[in-house]
Every structure is written in structure tokens, then in C-alpha cells.
Amino acid sequence: MTRFSRREFLESGGTLAGAGAALGLGAAWPRAIDAQTPRETFGAPDMVVHNARVFTVDDAQPMTEAFAIKNGRFVAVGSNDDVRNLIASGTDVIDADGMTVMPGFTDAHCHPGGVRELTGVNVNFRTIPEVLNALRTKAATTPPDYWVRGHMYDDTKFREGRPVTRRDLDEAVPNHPAAVDHRGGHTSVYNSKAFEMAGVAVDTPDPFGGHFFREDGELTGKVAELARREVDRIGRTAPITRETRQAGVAFISKEMTKAGITTVHQTHGATTALVALQDAYAAGELHFRMYFFPSGGSDCYAGLKAAGVRTGFGDDWLQIGGVKYGADGAASERTMRMSTPYVGRPDDYGILTMDQDEIHEATEDAHRNGYQIGIHANGDVAIDMVLNAYERVQREWPKPDSRHRIEHCSLVNDSLLRRIKTVGAIPTPFYTYVHYHGNKWVEYGEEKMRWMFAHRSFLDYDIPVAPASDYMPGPYEPLMALQSMVTRKDFDGRVWGANQRITLDEAIRICTMGGAYASFEEQKKGNIVAGKLADFVMLARDPHNVDPDTIKEIPIARTVVGGKTMYEG
Ligand SMILES: [Zn+2]
């Protein structure tokens, strides 16, 4: 049994950073952290889990049977006999009945606002009439001039085999401005009323970083990237109150813990989002731990920076993460910027949304002001530009262990991989995309798919990989992620880039320790080790013992964050 004793604690220098080193968890923690570790021998545990198959993600003791929790941390991890000896009156004893337990999962890149989920029109349907019906129903109770908007739209999932068009939307919603927003977040389809109010016609030129799609001398309705601003500025939207935002956080954090997620990195947000998190936390409604990235260029980031707040400010539940920017288009919406064109569109190399100077400027600002930076870069061209900036700041103002991140980092090659390793950057490749978005990969082709979402390559180059759904664009369920990374199979069983398959244990490590590393917290959480935060998940079946094509179907039995049960199936 490993047990975090008073003696070890004192010998370690009385801080958790030292404790981490004493426990063989690597280099000393670089930043100040809380000191909630018990100063006395821990006494009666609050919770004991026994009779489990515990996959600890700790090389010193990879598998065990039981553990004890006190004050939100693991205090003992070992055999049934050892841990049962610690049970006292008042200990909550959980007999796992042979179930599998793992560290809680992190989603290190997603957008879980919760407000759209609570108030918008969810159009995650498989037929176009269902989408139109949902919008029609909403329009019936929406005042004139107010937007009717659907979210979770996905152009490639319809039985009709075609996307929603302007004409479809006109038929369902003729009198309001209306749109469906792609779950990828980079394109929308608008109706004629919206274009008319915005003064956008077929001959309106494309703005920088955006595109109005046209066909046969007409607008199709589809609009990409920054061109959407030209349309979105018109129309009215019901005000979203502070209470609604708080309710959104409560809702989505509860939903995500149902899937086994215990930590979330919200990779961009405004002040209102940060306030909502704080409100939900204060009200006891925050179910997961949050590492929050203010958006680059936002008042939120400017204000935090001016106040001297840096990456890591906060506590174990809510902290300021890095600052977030976006340099190119999307993988799932086929707008990312590549050095070679899309299949069937020889002139289409995708879209950049920042130029090299802007990337340099943003990186220098973050790096010199104590911020980790996360720049969205999907295509190899965008990744190269981001690496140029990361290499430059480390040359000019060296700061080891900056852990700057390349958000998504979808299409790589050997030279990019070498540079990522050398500069110490962290990629956050999509973890459910191969499975969920498989039908989109035909537009990249088999050769590119050998280098996309390159989990195997990152591990081979010894690059620390973070787990990322990009929800809403991708499903966040970590068990679907494990299945996707292990099988590289889509919904129809087609395999995409088999060379990038990884083992189940590698995938589990990415979803746990990989997430902790990406927020500088690998000595606080990410595995089941005495002294660490007691975040874990209990699964009804062991994913090691099922057909890999069915991992996503395993029910989550329980999710515990900081020793508190947040979900029980
Ligand atoms: Zn994102």
C-alpha cells in the first residue's frame, strides 16, 4: 500500500510540490499551489472504495484493489486488506463489486457554455424535415426581428445526403432572420430574410477570412468563418441574464460528469462566462473542475492581465488557464489551412484567420505576461506559423516549461513533430473525431489521414498529448474517445489512418495524466496516488475486456470529484 504519511509529508518539505517529488512524480512543481494535504496522519477516511479493479495510471503500482479518501484527496491506495483496515465509523464504504475504476477524465479543449443547450434549438437530427420542424416551432413563439437559431447542425449526417440550404430555411422560417450554426463552429446557413436585413447579396464581396458560398448565381445560404459577422450583426436576440448563464454552467457541468469527466479546460471565454463559472461554483453547482482560457483580444483577458492575474490563478476547482486564439479554419468543416488542397477542390487550401505577425504578437504578449497560450491551428500551414512564434519567444525570452499549446494540431508531418518536441509544445488533437466525423475524411483522403489526429506519432516522438473533444464540434464522451483512438473506425466501420492507432492504456493515459499535464497539474491529479485529488470514475465493464468497437457503450457507474459523488448511474 502506498500511503501518504505525516513523515513523508514533512520530509518532502511540507508542500505538495515536494511531496510530488518524494512520491517520484517528477520535477518540482514550478508554481505556488495550495497546501490542503493533511498535516497529521489522516485518521478515519471519509470514503473507502474496495473490491475494485483499479487502473491507477501510476507506473509504481499500475493495478490495485482499493483506496481511501480524506478531505478530497486519496490518502491510501493498495490491497483490499490494507485499505479495509482503515475503515472507521463514519467512513462511506463503497463495495465496487469487481467494477473497473480509473482516474477521472479530462477534456482539455471544449466549449461547455451550457446556455445554448438550455435555451437554443437543438438541431442534432438525421433528417432535414426534423431540423425545419424544430425551427418552425421556435419561430411560432419568437417575436418579429428576433433570430431563430439552431445549433448542433451537421451537414454530413442527413439521410437525404445533402446539407440544409437557404431555400429550406425560407420554407420553414420566412419572416424571421434564421440560421443553423454548424456544431463545428465555423460555418452557418442563413435564410433569405437574414441576408436581406444584412444587405448581403450574391455580388457582395467576401471579407478577409470569410466566404459566402454561391451556386448558379445565387447564395446557397452557407457562410464560412468571419463573413458570418456581416449577417450576425442584424436581428435581435433575447437577452441572456447572469442567472441563465449560471444555470447553463450547472446544467452542462452535470451532463459532462455523467460521462466520467472530472476536469474541463474551457478554451475560450468572455468575462460573462468566467462570472457564470464563479456564480455556479459559489452556489455549489459546479460539478467539474475548470481551467478557463480567456479569449485573446477580449476584455476578459485584458482585464485579468492588467490586474496581474496569470495562468494558474485560482484554486483546485476554478483557475485561469492560458489565453486562447484561433489561426485557421476547422477540420470537421473542411476549412483548415493546408499546404495541399482538399480532394476534389484543387484551388481550395482552406482559410487562415490570423497572419504571421498577429500570431507573433499574440504569442509574445502571452509569453511575456505569464500566460500559457493556446492557438487553434489545424492545418500544417497554420501549425508551422504557430511553431514559428513559439520558437521565436523561446529564443528571445527563454522560459522552460512554458507548455504553450497547439490547439487541435490536426495535420502534422515529421518536421513539424520534431519542432513540437523541441519547443516543448502540447498538441490537443481531437479525441472523438475519427469515430464521429468519419464521413468527412473523404475530403482529406487516405494519405492525409495517415498524418491527422496523429496520436501514435505524438507518442512516438515523446510529445505530451492532451485529450480534447472541442465540444460542441465533437462529442465529449471519453469512452467514445478511447474507442476512437484505439480503433480509428467511424460510425460505418471504415478505418481512417490505421497507422495512428494507439493502445487502450495509452489512450487512458492521454485522457487522464495527459490532461493534467496540459494545465501544469500532473503532480496534483491525473492518477490514483496517495496525496492527489480524489477524482475517479467507476465503469460498469472493463474496457480492456470488451470488443473495442463497443467501448463507448460501457455505462458510467459513478463519477467522483474531490471525494464527492457527482454522478451515480
Ligand atoms: Zn475549440
Side-chain angles (χ1 to χ4, degrees):
M1 176 166 69
T2 58
R3 180 164 157 166
F4 195 61
S5 71
R6 173 180 164 80
R7 185 179 56 80
E8 280 172 317
F9 181 66
L10 293 175
E11 281 175 359
S12 72
T15 67
L16 194 59
L23 291 164
L25 296 173
W29 184 247
R31 298 174 305 145
I33 54 169
D34 68 311
Q36 287 174 7
T37 308
R39 286 179 180 273
E40 300 299 330
T41 305
F42 54 79
D46 299 326
M47 181 189 276
V48 159
V49 174
H50 67 114
N51 197 14
R53 294 164 57 78
V54 184
F55 292 87
T56 61
V57 193
D58 170 28
D59 291 336
Q61 182 181 228
M63 225 186 139
T64 183
E65 297 169 323
F67 50 78
I69 293 167
K70 177 81 176 177
N71 294 333
R73 290 179 187 269
F74 299 112
V75 287
V77 180
S79 70
N80 284 328
D81 288 346
D82 284 345
V83 175
R84 281 178 193 141
N85 273 333
L86 306 171
I87 295 172
S89 65
T91 302
D92 181 12
V93 180
I94 297 172
D95 180 350
D97 199 19
M99 278 197 281
T100 293
V101 172
M102 302 181 178
F105 298 115
T106 289
D107 185 346
H109 180 123
C110 58
H111 309 282
V115 171
R116 276 185 301 180
E117 289 89 332
L118 267 186
T119 64
V121 184
N122 186 333
V123 295
N124 186 17
F125 296 115
R126 301 288 85 92
T127 70
I128 291 173
E130 287 173 289
V131 172
L132 302 183
N133 278 339
L135 294 171
R136 204 177 277 123
T137 304
K138 181 73 174 180
T141 57
T142 302
D145 289 346
Y146 279 76
W147 279 100
V148 174
R149 276 196 110 106
H151 65 270
M152 300 279 276
Y153 166 65
D154 187 334
D155 62 323
T156 64
K157 290 274 191 290
F158 292 119
R159 292 214 184 95
E160 290 86 348
R162 68 170 183 87
V164 168
T165 65
R166 175 172 63 97
R167 295 288 181 207
D168 293 325
L169 296 180
D170 288 351
E171 181 201 315
V173 189
N175 301 320
H176 297 76
V180 286
D181 298 318
H182 202 285
R183 72 177 292 164
H186 294 252
T187 61
S188 300
V189 182
Y190 297 88
N191 68 351
S192 297
K193 180 77 176 176
F195 284 123
E196 183 193 306
M197 288 170 73
V200 171
V202 69
D203 52 0
T204 303
D206 286 345
F208 170 78
H211 182 56
F212 298 110
F213 286 77
R214 305 167 186 88
E215 218 172 82
D216 304 328
E218 285 190 6
L219 291 165
T220 66
K222 181 175 171 182
V223 180
E225 306 290 348
L226 302 184
R228 291 177 304 170
R229 288 184 191 166
E230 311 283 313
V231 195
D232 288 341
R233 58 187 174 75
I234 58 99
R236 302 172 68 180
T237 312
I240 298 166
T241 63
R242 184 167 169 176
E243 289 72 25
T244 310
R245 288 198 175 86
Q246 178 185 331
V249 169
F251 175 80
I252 195 69
S253 68
K254 197 167 178 193
E255 287 299 304
M256 291 179 83
T257 50
K258 286 182 190 169
I261 292 172
T262 55
T263 294
V264 159
H265 301 184
Q266 181 167 341
T267 43
H268 75 67
T271 306
T272 48
L274 185 54
V275 169
L277 286 161
Q278 192 171 331
D279 286 347
Y281 181 24
E285 296 169 352
L286 186 65
H287 290 69
F288 51 42
R289 304 182 191 279
M290 169 58 69
Y291 186 68
F292 176 84
F293 282 63
S295 304
S298 68
D299 291 347
C300 185
Y301 175 56
L304 289 168
K305 192 173 67 168
V309 169
R310 302 191 302 268
T311 293
F313 182 87
D315 66 10
D316 291 339
W317 284 92
L318 176 55
Q319 13 167 1
I320 300 300
V323 56
K324 166 76 189 313
Y325 292 87
D328 74 339
S332 65
E333 295 175 77
R334 289 83 73 206
T335 54
M336 70 190 219
R337 182 71 165 93
M338 306 184 296
S339 59
T340 51
Y342 286 88
V343 171
R345 301 201 298 278
D347 298 325
D348 187 355
Y349 291 77
I351 296 174
L352 281 174
T353 53
M354 288 171 91
D355 64 28
Q356 183 71 67
D357 284 346
E358 288 170 323
I359 296 171
H360 278 311
E361 201 180 305
T363 304
E364 179 180 336
D365 166 74
H367 186 78
R368 299 184 73 188
N369 282 292
Y371 277 82
Q372 184 186 36
I373 187 168
I375 305 183
H376 160 132
N378 272 302
D380 54 343
V381 170
I383 295 167
D384 167 69
M385 291 164 72
V386 167
L387 283 169
N388 289 340
Y390 293 180
E391 288 160 353
R392 171 177 168 267
V393 295
Q394 289 295 6
R395 233 175 10 245
E396 303 280 327
W397 306 279
K399 197 165 87 183
D401 212 27
S402 297
R403 304 194 193 184
H404 294 320
R405 305 181 6 166
I406 306 174
E407 304 302 325
H408 312 320
C409 203
S410 293
L411 176 61
V412 294
N413 55 50
D414 276 315
S415 143
L416 292 176
L417 287 162
R418 265 194 300 276
R419 291 169 65 197
I420 292 167
K421 173 64 187 166
T422 304
V423 81
I426 301 175
T428 67
F430 300 107
Y431 67 18
T432 51
Y433 263 36
V434 173
H435 180 65
Y436 183 80
H437 287 304
N439 43 8
K440 302 177 176 73
W441 309 138
V442 287
E443 293 182 46
Y444 294 91
E446 186 51 32
E447 185 46 37
K448 277 196 185 99
M449 284 306 294
R450 294 178 56 78
W451 291 100
M452 282 176 68
F453 323 125
H455 288 96
R456 175 81 268 150
S457 298
F458 292 129
L459 295 182
D460 287 349
Y461 275 81
D462 195 24
I463 292 166
V465 189
S469 72
D470 204 27
Y471 172 79
M472 285 186 182
Y476 53 68
E477 285 77 3
L479 293 182
M480 185 193 290
L482 298 180
Q483 178 173 328
S484 187
M485 290 186 277
V486 167
T487 67
R488 301 280 293 193
K489 278 188 197 166
D490 68 15
F491 271 40
D492 302 321
R494 281 176 299 188
V495 175
W496 297 99
N499 61 311
Q500 292 295 347
R501 281 182 179 143
I502 58 175
T503 68
L504 179 60
D505 285 331
E506 287 169 334
I508 292 169
R509 188 173 286 263
I510 287 171
C511 289
T512 55
M513 284 305 282
Y517 184 85
S519 59
F520 300 90
E521 292 177 290
E522 73 277 12
Q523 294 182 31
K524 269 202 228 184
K525 62 183 178 189
N527 55 8
I528 298 179
V529 169
K532 286 199 166 181
L533 295 170
D535 301 349
F536 68 89
V537 59
M538 201 177 280
L539 309 179
R541 291 189 291 276
D542 182 352
H544 297 84
N545 295 340
V546 302
D547 175 350
D549 292 330
T550 64
I551 293 174
K552 70 174 181 182
E553 290 155 26
I554 297 173
I556 304 287
R558 183 190 287 261
T559 305
V560 174
V561 191
K564 195 172 159 203
T565 297
M566 295 298 189
Y567 170 71
E568 207 177 335

